Structure formats: C-alpha cells, structure tokens
Amino acid sequence: MAGRDGSLDMEKIARRGRDQRRIGVARRPQAQRRKPIEALPVPAESEAVSSIARGWVPALLFIAAFTVVGGFTGGLGRPLFVLGCVAVAAFAWRSGIASHFQACLVLFSFAPFVRRIVDAGAGYDELGLMLVGPLIALLVPAVELRRLLDPKAPLDDRFGPLMLVGACILYAGVLSLLQGKMNDAASGLIKWFSPILYAGVLAMRANRDEILEASVSAFCVILPITGLYGILQYVDPQAWDRYWMEFAPILSIGQPVPYGVRVFSTMNSPASFASFTVVGLLLVAFLRSGWLSLLVALPSILALLLSLYRTAWLAMAISLMFCLLFAQTRGKAQIIMLALVLAGAVAVTIPPFSDVIGDRLATLGQGSQDGSFQERLQQYSTLWSLPDSSLIGNGFTVTDVGSAGQMPIDGMIIACWMMMGIVAGILCLCGFFWAISGAVIRALLERSRQAVLVGAMAMGGLLQMPLANISAAEAGFLFWSFVVLIPVIDRGRAA
C-alpha cells in the first residue's frame, strides 16, 4: 500500500508539473507580444526631437553661410546654391516629412535674399537660377510617388484635385512647347508642377498635426527675421536690394530709396512676403500662446502693413472671420482681431510709416473706384475680345522667369484663362474649388482647432483667387501643402 500510495503521489506531482509547463508555454507569447507595444513611444519621441534638430536649423545655417560668402563666389555661387538646397533637403528628408517641410519653408523664405546678395557681386541674373533651388528641394522626396504605379494600391481621394489641376498644367506646357516657347514651358512647368508633386508626397506621408507643429516651429524663427529686415528695408534699403530693384521688371515694389519701398523683406515680391507672413501669423497666433507669440508677431505685423499688399490683408481678415464661427477658435480670433486693429492704429500714428499705411488703408473703402479694380476689369475685357486663342489658351507666358512664379497678370481666373483657354481653365479652377471645399467641410465636421485653422487658410486662398496667383512656386507650396492635404482624414505617419 505504501508503495502504491507513493506511486500515486508521484503521478499527481508529475501531472501537476506537466500542467504548469503547458500554462507557461501558453502565456509566454502573450508576454512577448506586450514588450514591443510598450517600447513604441520611445523611438517616436526621439524622432520628433530629430525632426526639429534636422529641419529648419541646417537650412538656416546654410542660408547664413551663403549670406556671408555669397558676394564673393561670383557666378559660380548660383549653381552651388542650387546644389546646396538639394543637399539640405536630402539631409532633412532622412529625418522625415516634417523635417523636410521645415527646411523648404526656410529655403523659400530666404533664397531670394541670397540671390540678391550674389547678384550684387556677380551682376544681375535675369534667369534667376538661384530661385530654382527651393523648387528642386521640393522634388527630393518625389521618388515616393512611385507607389502610385502599383495597380493594386487604392488611390487616395486627396489626389483628385491634384490630378485635375496637374492635367491642366500639362496641357499649358504642351501649348508652350508647340509654340516653340521652350524657356516659358520649362519655367512654368517647374513652378506649377513642383508644388503639385510635393503635395502628392504629403498625401502619402504626412500627418496634419505633425506638419502644423513643424510649421509653427519654423515660423517662430522666420517671422522675426523677415519682419525686422522688412522694417530695415523700408527705412534704409540695403545696397543689394537697391541694385536688384533697379533691374527687376517688377513695378509693384516701389522705389529704391528710404521710405519708398513696398516691403518685400527677404522674399521676391511684396505679394510673396505678405502671403508667407499671413500664414505664419495665423499658425503662431492660434497654436502658440503667451509672450513668445507676441514677440514673434510684432515686427511681422508692421512689416506686413508696409508691404501695402491689400490682398493679404483681406485674406487674413476673412480667415479670422471664419475662425469666429467656431467655439474652439472664437476667443483667440477675437483677441487677434483686436490686437491687429490696435497695431494698425498705432502704425498710422508713427511718422515714418503713418502716411503710406494710412493712405493704403483708405483705399479699401474705394470699391469699384480703386485703380487696381479697374485694371483687373480691363484684363477681363481684353481677354474676352481675343480671337480663338482665348478658347484654347496661349500656354505659359512668363515675362520674368526670376520672379518666383508671379505672372504678368492678376489672379488665378485670368491666369488660367490666358494659359489654358476657357475650357481647360475652368477645369483647373474647379480643381482649386474642390480642394478648398474639402478643407472647409473638414473644418465644419471636425471642429478641432487644427482643422478650423486649415479651413480658415482655405477661405483666405479662395478670396485671393481672383486677385493673385496662388498655385505657382512659393504660393503654390503654401496653398497645396496646407489647404489640400492637411485637412483631409489623417493617416498614420509612414515608417
């Protein structure tokens, strides 16, 4: 009995051990699966830090270095600058799309300034080769678009406006080539197509909130520099600015004398500078708080007023009014509007600035009697009286290929009509309305601060369409990046 009882006890012990081993084997994979999930936030945080460190910082250091040595490089400095822009963009792209976006913001903001310094030492460059640098930087990540060639991959709805407008741009390029206008075709295609291609990359790789945060970080550095330099430019235009103003065929920049400049700061025209400043001010004001946003905004607001670019003023006003419609942004929009009114009231009392700003603000109430309004009406009348060319279009007709995409005509309606004709021009405009409506609808549905802000910028773009070109070069970069891609349903950031 004892031996039998002992054997029974041993069998129970052995059975219990086998059961425990089975339970351990069954549980071990679950424990192993938990470990990677717990470790995920660590690389995400390190990547965010890397994005900030490798975004606007290297780009700004590159601009600063070329500012110092650019005047001594001669004509060789122009291709070197383009290559440097590509290198900066490639380095930033290694850290992710947000880092690359920051670098492009810096390059577009300061490349015209460096161009003027080089021109002052090497002679005026009519082609504006250095302005191609930021556009080529946009194309660095374009290799990502190869994924669209996969027939099994579903096409994102966000590509709809891009494909429609892209087809119309190709049509205008073909028209230019058929007429033998090789330079205009090359210039037009790179200025109009680079932002479209980059927007496609953003559609596949970007996250809305990540891009907005990266943009705010970049503009917190860009706005004080461009704002202070713009004020200096108005009071005492530097030698390179005066030299460039004497040769550049842009009539809207004033006279190269103290208190005679329509401020364009470090950019290529008052329109470009004002458009970038408005977007930057909106981003910083709504997504930052405290004394930092005020410190960033003060010089930029005065420089924006000195640009005398009423289209940007109106775009900012309509954007703020759109923000008043939502509880998430209403309070801040009211504070910003009050601050802008006070800043304008103070500016018109400061003697060096009061006359020019006051006179320009007074023209906002002239309505149909305004000279610019009369000129735009004359452009419509002239185009309507043209023969068959108004039906099929004339292709790209850019008189100054160094003017960063600024057309010799005003507004997207006139530009599309002249370049693409009535039929293709209407289709192109439909692509813009499609993109803008998507941003506004997203704001109405989501109602978050980020979505409302993007919808507000879309409304600003809608107001600018009859008055300015919002699709080429730096203007197209702002429009397609913020308005088309960001407000649509977010997708996780690709690895």
Side-chain angles (χ1 to χ4, degrees):
M1 295 294 293
R4 186 179 301 174
D5 295 340
S7 64
L8 289 175
D9 293 340
M10 293 298 296
E11 289 178 4
K12 291 180 180 179
I13 294 172
R15 190 183 303 115
R16 188 180 298 113
R18 287 194 298 269
D19 292 342
Q20 290 177 351
R21 284 193 296 270
R22 290 195 195 101
I23 294 174
V25 172
R27 291 179 177 175
R28 192 175 299 119
Q30 295 179 1
Q32 290 175 352
R33 284 194 295 268
R34 291 193 190 102
K35 291 181 181 179
I37 296 176
E38 294 172 355
L40 278 178
V42 177
E45 292 175 1
S46 62
E47 184 177 352
V49 174
S50 177
S51 176
I52 295 175
R54 298 186 182 181
W56 60 265
V57 174
L60 194 61
L61 290 176
F62 167 71
I63 292 294
F66 229 94
T67 299
V68 175
V69 304
F72 307 100
T73 57
L76 182 61
R78 295 176 179 128
L80 288 177
F81 181 79
V82 174
L83 293 176
C85 289
V86 175
V88 168
F91 180 78
W93 175 244
R94 295 177 58 189
S95 300
I97 187 65
S99 178
H100 185 269
F101 192 81
Q102 286 183 330
C104 290
L105 281 174
V106 172
L107 292 177
F108 273 113
S109 298
F110 297 104
F113 170 74
V114 180
R115 176 253 178 113
R116 294 195 291 270
I117 290 180
V118 173
D119 281 3
Y124 179 73
D125 178 24
E126 184 178 357
L127 295 177
L129 176 62
M130 296 177 65
L131 300 183
V132 178
L135 294 171
I136 300 298
L138 291 182
L139 299 178
V140 168
V143 66
E144 295 289 328
L145 297 177
R146 69 184 185 276
R147 300 181 183 180
L148 299 178
L149 301 177
D150 185 1
K152 298 181 181 179
L155 186 63
D156 197 304
D157 292 339
R158 293 175 289 183
F159 283 93
L162 301 178
M163 296 178 67
L164 179 57
V165 175
C168 296
I169 294 173
L170 283 177
Y171 172 74
V174 171
L175 287 179
S176 299
L177 292 175
L178 292 177
Q179 298 175 50
K181 299 185 293 186
M182 304 296 293
N183 289 337
D184 286 350
S187 175
L189 285 173
I190 192 172
K191 289 176 180 178
W192 285 66
F193 233 114
S194 295
I196 293 287
L197 295 176
Y198 189 64
V201 177
L202 287 172
M204 293 188 298
R205 296 293 301 270
N207 173 274
R208 182 191 64 194
D209 295 346
E210 180 187 24
I211 292 295
L212 289 177
E213 183 60 30
S215 303
V216 173
S217 299
F219 273 117
C220 282
V221 178
I222 294 172
L223 289 178
I225 297 175
T226 57
L228 291 173
Y229 185 82
I231 297 172
L232 173 64
Q233 187 179 70
Y234 179 76
V235 175
D236 183 20
Q238 301 301 297
W240 44 81
D241 290 334
R242 297 196 303 269
Y243 177 82
W244 179 76
M245 292 177 68
E246 292 173 356
F247 288 93
I250 304 178
L251 303 179
S252 59
I253 54 178
Q255 301 296 323
V257 296
Y259 309 107
V261 179
R262 284 188 62 182
V263 168
F264 49 92
S265 188
T266 61
M267 301 195 70
N268 204 70
S269 68
S272 299
F273 165 67
S275 298
F276 262 63
T277 301
V278 165
V279 170
L281 287 174
L282 288 173
L283 288 169
V284 172
F286 279 95
L287 301 181
R288 287 288 187 274
S289 59
W291 63 270
L292 177 61
S293 60
L294 180 63
L295 185 64
V296 167
L298 284 178
S300 302
I301 293 174
L302 180 55
L304 175 63
L305 291 173
L306 292 173
S307 72
L308 307 181
Y309 189 60
R310 295 172 299 179
T311 300
W313 300 352
L314 294 174
M316 190 165 192
I318 196 68
S319 298
L320 291 173
M321 286 189 286
F322 183 82
C323 292
L324 289 174
L325 302 177
F326 301 87
Q328 292 79 0
T329 54
R330 185 178 298 122
K332 199 139 195 178
Q334 292 173 342
I335 295 175
I336 295 170
M337 294 181 72
L338 178 61
L340 290 175
V341 171
L342 291 177
V346 172
V348 297
T349 62
I350 302 176
F353 318 117
S354 57
D355 292 340
V356 63
I357 295 177
D359 293 344
R360 195 62 169 175
L361 288 172
T363 61
L364 293 175
Q366 293 181 356
S368 60
Q369 304 301 318
D370 181 67
S372 298
F373 179 80
Q374 295 294 332
E375 292 177 3
R376 286 176 172 84
L377 286 181
Q378 184 61 39
Q379 290 173 354
Y380 284 101
S381 176
T382 301
L383 280 177
W384 185 256
S385 63
L386 289 176
D388 294 340
S389 60
S390 64
L391 181 63
I392 62 175
N394 295 316
F396 293 111
T397 54
V398 185
T399 56
D400 176 33
V401 297
S403 62
Q406 299 299 315
M407 306 295 293
I409 49 180
D410 296 312
M412 289 300 304
I413 299 175
I414 295 291
C416 292
W417 188 354
M418 181 174 181
M419 293 187 302
M420 306 167 188
I422 295 177
V423 178
I426 290 176
L427 290 175
C428 186
L429 293 174
C430 287
F432 286 95
F433 289 124
W434 185 356
I436 292 171
S437 63
V440 174
I441 291 173
R442 176 70 178 194
L444 294 173
L445 294 176
E446 184 178 331
R447 294 178 176 270
S448 68
R449 178 177 296 185
Q450 290 80 3
V452 172
L453 182 56
V454 172
M457 289 189 286
M459 292 299 297
L462 178 63
L463 182 141
Q464 293 184 69
M465 284 185 63
L467 307 172
N469 185 350
I470 63 171
S471 183
E474 67 274 11
F477 168 62
L478 285 180
F479 177 83
W480 292 114
S481 298
F482 288 108
V483 179
V484 177
L485 305 176
I486 311 304
V488 190
I489 297 175
D490 297 334
R491 297 197 172 190
R493 184 174 51 191

